[in-house]
Amino acid sequence: MDQTDQTTHFGFRDVPLGEKQTLVNDVFHSVAQRYDLMNDLMSAGLHRVWKDIMINTLNPPKSDAPFALLDVAGGTGDISFRAARKAGAGFHATVCDINGDMLEVGRQRALKQYLEDKVSFVEGNAEKLAFPDRSFDAYTIAFGIRNVPQIELALAEAYRVLKHGGRFLCLEFSTVEVPGLDKLYDLFSFNVIPQLGRAVTGDAESYRYLVESIRQFPRPNAFAEMISAAGFSRVSWQTLSGGIVALHSGWRL
Ligand SMILES: C[S@@+](CC[C@H](N)C(=O)[O-])C[C@H]1O[C@@H](n2cnc3c(N)ncnc32)[C@H](O)[C@@H]1O
């Protein structure tokens, strides 16, 4: 089967594989300017806690030792900024994202936070990274991988660009399995979030996609198997906030 025959999910819709990225790009072009505000509103600020847990797990060196982070689907730079503030003088982050509008918001934020020397921004596709083999100490991807049409390709690229001993960390929405919380979460996701999206960004559809895409993403154990299949060792994960989010880890050893 060639790529033109294959289909994939765009939220709850089946779409040709080759079309998903364009649809995803439209979503993030539409919401870029209000993306950070919407994150705070949708999660009541919880996304900050989840991101801090990711950075604490990454634990970048506080010394002068060089440490290169690649933050893929890094959008407006949240993960890289948090890591840069925690790390020592040898730290540098590269935010790579397919969407120029998200990156532009990130560049402006870097300037405001005086982090422009610590964080750089590069347009690129997670499925085909324009970086040499074994060039990074760590690879992070936060709330990004479920938007990538071919997740296996992104994982293979993550493995390729990491140095031996390098760490892969993925923060992503997951599956709520706490009785009671699951119903509440569904109600909130399908009713409140698209309406909030309409009020804040004028775009309910993009937020409907974001909610639906969460439901299509593999469960934590299945995703861990995909990470192992890409070659990573010591793959593990922890769920946060009753399973709303999962943090997966793997090492290139
Ligand atoms: C929900 S945002 C996450 C941004 C940021 N990591 C954060 O946690 O706030 C998802 C990002 O994935 C990016 N993205 C989608 N498909 C991509 C791809 N194939 N390669 C790189 N980035 C992609 C989008 O442009 C968007 O900026």
Side-chain angles (χ1 to χ4, degrees):
M1 220 197 292
D2 71 24
Q3 232 210 44
T4 48
D5 300 324
Q6 293 178 45
T7 60
T8 187
H9 298 296
F10 175 74
F12 289 163
R13 275 164 57 199
D14 279 337
V15 297
L17 184 57
E19 272 180 31
K20 173 164 173 168
Q21 190 70 65
T22 311
L23 293 165
V24 167
N25 294 351
D26 289 347
V27 166
F28 290 101
H29 284 307
S30 162
V31 305
Q33 293 301 327
R34 292 288 174 99
Y35 174 78
D36 294 303
L37 172 64
M38 266 304 283
N39 273 352
D40 276 331
L41 294 175
M42 280 189 309
S43 73
L46 262 180
H47 74 108
R48 294 166 183 260
V49 177
W50 299 326
K51 286 169 177 169
D52 282 343
I53 291 171
M54 183 186 215
I55 301 308
N56 287 338
T57 306
L58 175 69
N59 196 20
K62 293 179 183 59
S63 65
D64 294 351
F67 187 86
L69 168 67
L70 178 63
D71 181 25
V72 173
T76 60
D78 248 13
I79 296 299
S80 293
F81 298 153
R82 275 162 208 277
R85 284 196 291 265
K86 197 176 160 72
F91 176 88
H92 187 269
T94 304
V95 178
C96 173
D97 197 286
I98 203 162
N99 193 308
D101 290 344
M102 294 288 280
L103 290 172
E104 193 43 45
V105 175
R107 279 192 197 97
Q108 298 307 321
R109 293 179 79 202
L111 289 173
K112 280 192 195 129
Q113 298 183 31
Y114 305 104
L115 285 172
E116 67 271 26
D117 296 337
K118 292 271 146 211
V119 181
S120 50
F121 295 83
V122 175
E123 203 165 313
N125 188 339
E127 294 177 351
K128 201 170 179 359
L129 296 171
F131 304 105
D133 296 357
R134 293 185 289 278
S135 46
F136 292 95
D137 297 288
Y139 173 113
T140 51
I141 183 161
F143 306 115
I145 205 150
R146 75 178 192 286
N147 297 296
V148 174
Q150 299 180 87
I151 293 174
E152 287 87 351
L153 290 187
L155 293 174
E157 282 292 84
Y159 189 84
R160 182 183 68 74
V161 300
L162 275 172
K163 297 176 187 171
H164 289 293
R167 190 168 198 183
F168 168 86
L169 282 175
C170 175
L171 188 65
E172 189 51 90
F173 289 109
S174 194
T175 315
V176 175
E177 285 177 308
V178 179
L181 182 63
D182 51 356
K183 302 268 176 317
L184 213 65
Y185 182 59
D186 272 356
L187 213 71
F188 179 74
S189 303
F190 288 104
N191 299 297
V192 179
I193 289 183
Q195 292 313 319
L196 206 57
R198 187 194 308 280
V200 176
T201 69
D203 180 357
E205 277 316 301
S206 287
Y207 281 91
R208 202 178 312 284
Y209 156 72
L210 291 176
V211 167
E212 291 177 1
S213 64
I214 292 169
R215 301 309 192 279
Q216 302 289 2
F217 192 68
R219 284 168 188 262
N221 55 337
F223 184 48
E225 280 170 21
M226 294 171 75
I227 297 169
S228 299
F232 288 100
S233 304
R234 289 167 52 196
V235 174
S236 61
W237 78 87
Q238 55 174 308
T239 53
L240 307 172
S241 305
I244 294 178
V245 162
L247 176 63
H248 282 77
S249 165
W251 296 82
R252 178 171 184 173
L253 297 178

PDB file of all heavy atoms in Angstrom, residues 29-45:
ATOM      1  N   HIS A  29      -1.968  26.983  13.411  1.00  0.00           N
ATOM      2  CA  HIS A  29      -1.937  28.351  12.860  1.00  0.00           C
ATOM      3  C   HIS A  29      -3.073  29.150  13.483  1.00  0.00           C
ATOM      4  O   HIS A  29      -2.914  30.311  13.854  1.00  0.00           O
ATOM      5  CB  HIS A  29      -2.117  28.337  11.336  1.00  0.00           C
ATOM      6  CG  HIS A  29      -0.904  27.906  10.582  1.00  0.00           C
ATOM      7  ND1 HIS A  29       0.322  28.503  10.770  1.00  0.00           N
ATOM      8  CD2 HIS A  29      -0.718  26.945   9.650  1.00  0.00           C
ATOM      9  CE1 HIS A  29       1.208  27.908   9.984  1.00  0.00           C
ATOM     10  NE2 HIS A  29       0.607  26.958   9.302  1.00  0.00           N
ATOM     11  N   SER A  30      -4.232  28.496  13.594  1.00  0.00           N
ATOM     12  CA  SER A  30      -5.419  29.199  14.071  1.00  0.00           C
ATOM     13  C   SER A  30      -5.298  29.601  15.538  1.00  0.00           C
ATOM     14  O   SER A  30      -5.792  30.658  15.935  1.00  0.00           O
ATOM     15  CB  SER A  30      -6.649  28.294  13.839  1.00  0.00           C
ATOM     16  OG  SER A  30      -7.723  28.705  14.617  1.00  0.00           O
ATOM     17  N   VAL A  31      -4.646  28.763  16.362  1.00  0.00           N
ATOM     18  CA  VAL A  31      -4.680  29.029  17.813  1.00  0.00           C
ATOM     19  C   VAL A  31      -3.381  29.625  18.364  1.00  0.00           C
ATOM     20  O   VAL A  31      -3.318  29.970  19.553  1.00  0.00           O
ATOM     21  CB  VAL A  31      -5.036  27.747  18.627  1.00  0.00           C
ATOM     22  CG1 VAL A  31      -6.349  27.140  18.138  1.00  0.00           C
ATOM     23  CG2 VAL A  31      -3.923  26.702  18.597  1.00  0.00           C
ATOM     24  N   ALA A  32      -2.342  29.777  17.512  1.00  0.00           N
ATOM     25  CA  ALA A  32      -0.990  30.132  18.002  1.00  0.00           C
ATOM     26  C   ALA A  32      -0.983  31.319  18.975  1.00  0.00           C
ATOM     27  O   ALA A  32      -0.383  31.242  20.047  1.00  0.00           O
ATOM     28  CB  ALA A  32      -0.059  30.407  16.824  1.00  0.00           C
ATOM     29  N   GLN A  33      -1.663  32.405  18.613  1.00  0.00           N
ATOM     30  CA  GLN A  33      -1.579  33.624  19.433  1.00  0.00           C
ATOM     31  C   GLN A  33      -2.194  33.442  20.814  1.00  0.00           C
ATOM     32  O   GLN A  33      -1.799  34.113  21.767  1.00  0.00           O
ATOM     33  CB  GLN A  33      -2.265  34.796  18.720  1.00  0.00           C
ATOM     34  CG  GLN A  33      -1.577  35.248  17.447  1.00  0.00           C
ATOM     35  CD  GLN A  33      -0.132  35.704  17.686  1.00  0.00           C
ATOM     36  OE1 GLN A  33       0.194  36.255  18.739  1.00  0.00           O
ATOM     37  NE2 GLN A  33       0.749  35.446  16.719  1.00  0.00           N
ATOM     38  N   ARG A  34      -3.194  32.569  20.909  1.00  0.00           N
ATOM     39  CA  ARG A  34      -3.886  32.381  22.195  1.00  0.00           C
ATOM     40  C   ARG A  34      -3.552  31.028  22.828  1.00  0.00           C
ATOM     41  O   ARG A  34      -4.173  30.629  23.816  1.00  0.00           O
ATOM     42  CB  ARG A  34      -5.418  32.469  21.979  1.00  0.00           C
ATOM     43  CG  ARG A  34      -5.880  33.857  21.591  1.00  0.00           C
ATOM     44  CD  ARG A  34      -5.761  34.746  22.831  1.00  0.00           C
ATOM     45  NE  ARG A  34      -6.039  36.136  22.563  1.00  0.00           N
ATOM     46  CZ  ARG A  34      -7.201  36.709  22.823  1.00  0.00           C
ATOM     47  NH1 ARG A  34      -8.190  36.011  23.295  1.00  0.00           N
ATOM     48  NH2 ARG A  34      -7.365  37.979  22.599  1.00  0.00           N
ATOM     49  N   TYR A  35      -2.572  30.315  22.247  1.00  0.00           N
ATOM     50  CA  TYR A  35      -2.269  28.948  22.682  1.00  0.00           C
ATOM     51  C   TYR A  35      -1.926  28.879  24.174  1.00  0.00           C
ATOM     52  O   TYR A  35      -2.465  28.051  24.915  1.00  0.00           O
ATOM     53  CB  TYR A  35      -1.117  28.377  21.834  1.00  0.00           C
ATOM     54  CG  TYR A  35      -0.649  27.035  22.317  1.00  0.00           C
ATOM     55  CD1 TYR A  35      -1.371  25.882  22.020  1.00  0.00           C
ATOM     56  CD2 TYR A  35       0.487  26.912  23.106  1.00  0.00           C
ATOM     57  CE1 TYR A  35      -0.968  24.650  22.504  1.00  0.00           C
ATOM     58  CE2 TYR A  35       0.894  25.686  23.586  1.00  0.00           C
ATOM     59  CZ  TYR A  35       0.168  24.565  23.282  1.00  0.00           C
ATOM     60  OH  TYR A  35       0.570  23.346  23.771  1.00  0.00           O
ATOM     61  N   ASP A  36      -1.040  29.767  24.631  1.00  0.00           N
ATOM     62  CA  ASP A  36      -0.576  29.685  26.023  1.00  0.00           C
ATOM     63  C   ASP A  36      -1.695  30.020  27.007  1.00  0.00           C
ATOM     64  O   ASP A  36      -1.854  29.347  28.030  1.00  0.00           O
ATOM     65  CB  ASP A  36       0.646  30.596  26.227  1.00  0.00           C
ATOM     66  CG  ASP A  36       1.831  30.100  25.426  1.00  0.00           C
ATOM     67  OD1 ASP A  36       2.228  28.938  25.620  1.00  0.00           O
ATOM     68  OD2 ASP A  36       2.336  30.850  24.569  1.00  0.00           O
ATOM     69  N   LEU A  37      -2.489  31.031  26.671  1.00  0.00           N
ATOM     70  CA  LEU A  37      -3.613  31.394  27.523  1.00  0.00           C
ATOM     71  C   LEU A  37      -4.606  30.229  27.619  1.00  0.00           C
ATOM     72  O   LEU A  37      -5.082  29.876  28.698  1.00  0.00           O
ATOM     73  CB  LEU A  37      -4.305  32.643  26.942  1.00  0.00           C
ATOM     74  CG  LEU A  37      -5.621  33.047  27.592  1.00  0.00           C
ATOM     75  CD1 LEU A  37      -5.399  33.452  29.046  1.00  0.00           C
ATOM     76  CD2 LEU A  37      -6.261  34.219  26.824  1.00  0.00           C
ATOM     77  N   MET A  38      -4.902  29.601  26.470  1.00  0.00           N
ATOM     78  CA  MET A  38      -5.848  28.482  26.458  1.00  0.00           C
ATOM     79  C   MET A  38      -5.335  27.321  27.299  1.00  0.00           C
ATOM     80  O   MET A  38      -6.115  26.647  27.977  1.00  0.00           O
ATOM     81  CB  MET A  38      -6.097  28.005  25.013  1.00  0.00           C
ATOM     82  CG  MET A  38      -7.287  28.628  24.346  1.00  0.00           C
ATOM     83  SD  MET A  38      -8.856  28.404  25.248  1.00  0.00           S
ATOM     84  CE  MET A  38      -9.279  26.702  24.858  1.00  0.00           C
ATOM     85  N   ASN A  39      -4.030  27.061  27.287  1.00  0.00           N
ATOM     86  CA  ASN A  39      -3.474  25.975  28.120  1.00  0.00           C
ATOM     87  C   ASN A  39      -3.781  26.209  29.584  1.00  0.00           C
ATOM     88  O   ASN A  39      -4.166  25.288  30.310  1.00  0.00           O
ATOM     89  CB  ASN A  39      -1.954  25.886  27.928  1.00  0.00           C
ATOM     90  CG  ASN A  39      -1.590  25.016  26.751  1.00  0.00           C
ATOM     91  OD1 ASN A  39      -2.448  24.366  26.164  1.00  0.00           O
ATOM     92  ND2 ASN A  39      -0.324  25.003  26.407  1.00  0.00           N
ATOM     93  N   ASP A  40      -3.602  27.461  30.018  1.00  0.00           N
ATOM     94  CA  ASP A  40      -3.888  27.774  31.423  1.00  0.00           C
ATOM     95  C   ASP A  40      -5.366  27.609  31.729  1.00  0.00           C
ATOM     96  O   ASP A  40      -5.752  27.046  32.751  1.00  0.00           O
ATOM     97  CB  ASP A  40      -3.440  29.207  31.749  1.00  0.00           C
ATOM     98  CG  ASP A  40      -1.967  29.274  32.100  1.00  0.00           C
ATOM     99  OD1 ASP A  40      -1.426  28.280  32.623  1.00  0.00           O
ATOM    100  OD2 ASP A  40      -1.346  30.320  31.841  1.00  0.00           O
ATOM    101  N   LEU A  41      -6.218  28.087  30.818  1.00  0.00           N
ATOM    102  CA  LEU A  41      -7.659  28.033  31.074  1.00  0.00           C
ATOM    103  C   LEU A  41      -8.165  26.593  31.050  1.00  0.00           C
ATOM    104  O   LEU A  41      -8.919  26.172  31.926  1.00  0.00           O
ATOM    105  CB  LEU A  41      -8.418  28.855  30.030  1.00  0.00           C
ATOM    106  CG  LEU A  41      -8.175  30.370  30.071  1.00  0.00           C
ATOM    107  CD1 LEU A  41      -8.895  31.059  28.914  1.00  0.00           C
ATOM    108  CD2 LEU A  41      -8.623  30.954  31.409  1.00  0.00           C
ATOM    109  N   MET A  42      -7.724  25.825  30.055  1.00  0.00           N
ATOM    110  CA  MET A  42      -8.240  24.450  29.900  1.00  0.00           C
ATOM    111  C   MET A  42      -7.817  23.545  31.039  1.00  0.00           C
ATOM    112  O   MET A  42      -8.542  22.629  31.408  1.00  0.00           O
ATOM    113  CB  MET A  42      -7.677  23.821  28.614  1.00  0.00           C
ATOM    114  CG  MET A  42      -8.370  24.219  27.367  1.00  0.00           C
ATOM    115  SD  MET A  42      -7.777  23.221  25.983  1.00  0.00           S
ATOM    116  CE  MET A  42      -6.019  23.349  26.069  1.00  0.00           C
ATOM    117  N   SER A  43      -6.594  23.764  31.533  1.00  0.00           N
ATOM    118  CA  SER A  43      -6.073  22.824  32.539  1.00  0.00           C
ATOM    119  C   SER A  43      -6.075  23.447  33.928  1.00  0.00           C
ATOM    120  O   SER A  43      -5.533  22.836  34.858  1.00  0.00           O
ATOM    121  CB  SER A  43      -4.648  22.397  32.157  1.00  0.00           C
ATOM    122  OG  SER A  43      -3.727  23.456  32.385  1.00  0.00           O
ATOM    123  N   ALA A  44      -6.656  24.628  34.064  1.00  0.00           N
ATOM    124  CA  ALA A  44      -6.623  25.372  35.338  1.00  0.00           C
ATOM    125  C   ALA A  44      -5.186  25.467  35.844  1.00  0.00           C
ATOM    126  O   ALA A  44      -4.917  25.306  37.048  1.00  0.00           O
ATOM    127  CB  ALA A  44      -7.542  24.712  36.368  1.00  0.00           C
ATOM    128  N   GLY A  45      -4.259  25.679  34.940  1.00  0.00           N
ATOM    129  CA  GLY A  45      -2.849  25.849  35.320  1.00  0.00           C
ATOM    130  C   GLY A  45      -2.087  24.540  35.526  1.00  0.00           C
ATOM    131  O   GLY A  45      -0.875  24.542  35.713  1.00  0.00           O
TER     132      GLY A  45
END
